[in-house]
Amino acid sequence: MMVTRRYVFLLLLTGMFCLLTLFPTSTYIEASKTHQQIPESQKLYINPEYHFQLAYPAHWTKIKGIYEERYGANDGFFQFTAAGTGLTKIDGISKQLMLHKLQPYGSKPRSCAMMIAGQPARLILPSQDQAPFLNRQAALLVHYPKPVKIGGTSYAYLLLWADEEHIYDLAQNIRFMPQVEKGNHSKKTDGR
């Protein structure tokens, strides 16, 4: 079996990335720091309802369609939801995602534990036999600092989907926002 250099590099990079602890400092950012300084090549996505923000490539735009919130272009994408209750363990949800009967991450996805924004997280990377229409979709499950109430339901995890090439950069840019009383937050934005 011939293994390409790029594949070996990605495996090494995945292993190194899984060993890193990202942003081990404060879990919450101050409200005054919500609009962090970002390079010209990026835009800042802010979602007060889901209590997070992240920087993404500036040329990506909101994708119309059946998605509630999806941004991307020909070179990648991101999309998210909230998942799990406080009783659900992160490894249990990660395993359910990886072993789903439709195999959205292929037959042999890889997973690793890490810390994102000071919170436990699991990264799921697809195997080579993932269906081509999924565009190398990977997943990142991050434990919220405090459960988030969305539509009357309380959720314990942020679930981010993105293409494998961009998920590392997106993960490094996730910040959780302080939760404010209902009616006291602004609308989500996707600009500077």
Side-chain angles (χ1 to χ4, degrees), residues 13-103:
L13 184 62
T14 300
M16 289 186 309
F17 187 76
C18 291
L19 295 175
L20 296 176
T21 299
L22 302 175
F23 308 110
T25 57
S26 174
T27 301
Y28 288 122
I29 56 170
E30 296 173 17
S32 63
K33 294 181 182 176
T34 298
H35 293 283
Q36 65 191 36
Q37 292 291 337
I38 58 171
E40 288 290 321
S41 62
Q42 295 183 328
K43 285 184 185 175
L44 188 62
Y45 177 84
I46 301 171
N47 192 309
E49 182 180 17
Y50 284 77
H51 301 282
F52 83 102
Q53 67 180 36
L54 62 78
Y56 65 96
H59 67 280
W60 287 6
T61 59
K62 186 170 183 174
I63 298 173
K64 295 179 182 180
I66 61 171
Y67 316 107
E68 186 174 324
E69 292 283 324
R70 184 176 173 115
Y71 287 76
N74 289 338
D75 64 336
F77 68 93
F78 80 87
Q79 182 178 336
F80 62 89
T81 193
T85 66
L87 302 174
T88 315
K89 301 290 184 200
I90 194 167
D91 288 324
I93 295 177
S94 177
K95 191 173 184 176
Q96 285 177 351
L97 291 168
M98 292 175 64
L99 299 177
H100 192 280
K101 66 181 180 180
L102 297 178
Q103 297 185 336

Side-chain angles (χ1 to χ4, degrees), residues 27-28 50-51 86 119 142-149 154-158 176-181:
T27 301
Y28 288 122
Y50 284 77
H51 301 282
Q119 294 299 117
V142 186
H143 200 290
Y144 274 116
K146 178 174 150 181
V148 171
K149 199 166 209 173
S154 187
Y155 295 98
Y157 304 96
L158 173 68
F176 289 108
M177 298 163 46
Q179 295 184 33
V180 294
E181 293 302 313

